[in-house]
Amino acid sequence: MSAENISNFRKFGKKIICVGRNYKALAAEQGNPIPESPIVFLKPTTSYIEPGQDIVIPPGCNEFFHEVELGVVIGTRAKDVAENDVMKHVAGYALCLDMTAMDFQLAAKADGQPWALAKGFDTACPVSEFIPKEKIPDTSAARLWLKVDGDMKQDSSTSDMIFPVPHVLSYLSRYFTLEPGDIVLTGSPAGAGPVSRDQVIDAGLEAGGQALTSFTFSICLEQTMHTID
Ligand SMILES: CC(=O)CC(=O)C(=O)O
Ligand SMILES: [Mg+2]
C-alpha cells in the first residue's frame, strides 16, 4: 500500500483492532479486574466516520458510551514482531472514539455472547485525520481529552496504559498479521461515560505540549443521520 493510501486509512484500511481495559482507572471505574494480557476485539471498517459525519445511536440502544483512544496506524506488514522492533512498522497515529452500546455489551457479557453489535455498529469508530509518526516520538507521553457539551469528561496521559503501545502491537502481531492501513485502538482512559441524542463530543490529542488534532461529533438517531461519501 502506498504512503498516500496509508494516510487515507479511513478508506483503504483493512482492520480495526481494539484493545480494551488498558487503563487501571477505567477498569476500576467499571468494576472490572486488571487484565493479565490485552483484551482484544475488532470493529468492521464500516464503523469508521470522519469529522463532518454524525455518530448514530444504534437501534434499540438505551445506554450509549464515549471512549477516547489513541489509534496507531500500521505502515508495513508485521507478524510475530518483538516489542523492541515493532514500532518500525508504525506509520502514524489518529485520535479515535470507541463508541459503545453499553447496554448491548453488558447483556452480551452476561450471556457469554460476542460484542460485535455493541462495538461494531455503523459510526462506532469516529477518527481524526492521519497524524505522521514523527509527531508522537513517545507514545507513553500523549494527552487524550474529551468533552461532552463543553464539560471535560476524560483527560489522561497514555503513560497510564497498563500495556504500552509496543507491548500491545507485539502481542497482537502474534495472532494477527498487522497490515498497512490497519489501525489499533489502544484503550480508553478513565471517565468513559454516557452520551445521548443531540449532545456534542469534542476531543483532542496532544504530544510534547502541542495540540496535534481535535474534532467535534454530534450524536443523533438514525432518522437524522447524514453521510458523506
Ligand atoms: C473492553 C471494554 O469494554 C472497554 C474498552 O473498550 C476500553 O477501551 O477499555
Ligand atoms: Mg475502548
Side-chain angles (χ1 to χ4, degrees):
M1 187 182 275
S2 69
E4 190 191 347
N5 280 355
I6 288 167
S7 61
N8 261 324
F9 67 93
R10 295 178 293 201
K11 286 203 170 67
F12 302 108
K14 293 182 177 158
K15 297 192 286 303
I16 303 173
I17 309 172
C18 307
V19 167
R21 228 181 282 166
N22 196 18
Y23 289 79
K24 272 189 194 160
L26 185 71
E29 269 175 19
Q30 297 190 341
N32 289 316
I34 306 298
E36 283 174 14
S37 53
I39 293 175
V40 181
F41 58 95
L42 297 169
K43 289 179 189 273
T45 51
T46 44
S47 65
Y48 273 140
I49 54 167
E50 52 193 89
Q53 296 178 276
D54 291 331
I55 298 170
V56 182
I57 302 174
C61 171
N62 293 309
E63 210 184 344
F64 196 48
F65 267 49
H66 61 76
E67 297 182 3
V68 67
E69 308 198 4
L70 175 69
V72 182
V73 181
I74 303 300
T76 52
R77 189 178 175 281
K79 177 66 190 163
D80 264 329
V81 182
E83 241 172 87
N84 61 4
D85 223 18
V86 77
M87 294 306 285
K88 70 179 183 212
H89 295 281
V90 170
Y93 303 95
L95 173 64
C96 304
L97 302 181
D98 171 15
M99 296 307 298
T100 302
M102 186 54 92
D103 48 352
F104 292 8
Q105 191 187 17
L106 292 175
K109 272 187 190 169
D111 216 18
Q113 298 288 336
W115 299 348
L117 288 186
K119 294 277 196 181
F121 54 88
D122 286 352
T123 79
C125 193
V127 284
S128 71
E129 79 281 16
F130 176 77
I131 299 163
K133 183 178 188 174
E134 312 73 67
K135 300 274 185 186
I136 307 185
D138 179 1
T139 52
S140 62
R143 177 184 174 218
L144 291 163
W145 60 264
L146 179 146
K147 294 178 183 178
V148 177
D149 288 346
D151 294 333
M152 191 67 86
K153 300 290 183 187
Q154 296 191 268
D155 189 0
S156 292
S157 167
T158 53
S159 62
D160 294 337
M161 281 184 191
I162 298 168
F163 305 109
V165 169
H167 181 92
V168 166
L169 298 180
S170 171
Y171 179 84
L172 292 175
S173 80
R174 291 164 58 191
Y175 300 94
F176 299 111
T177 300
L178 302 179
E179 299 171 286
D182 286 352
I183 192 166
V184 176
L185 270 62
T186 54
S188 171
V195 273
S196 50
R197 180 185 183 174
D198 296 333
Q199 288 196 301
V200 174
I201 291 177
D202 290 299
L205 170 63
E206 295 175 14
Q210 274 202 318
L212 299 180
T213 192
S214 62
F215 56 44
T216 301
F217 285 96
S218 300
I219 313 288
C220 69
L221 292 178
E222 200 160 17
Q223 295 90 304
T224 56
M225 177 184 184
H226 64 82
T227 57
I228 53 172
D229 288 328

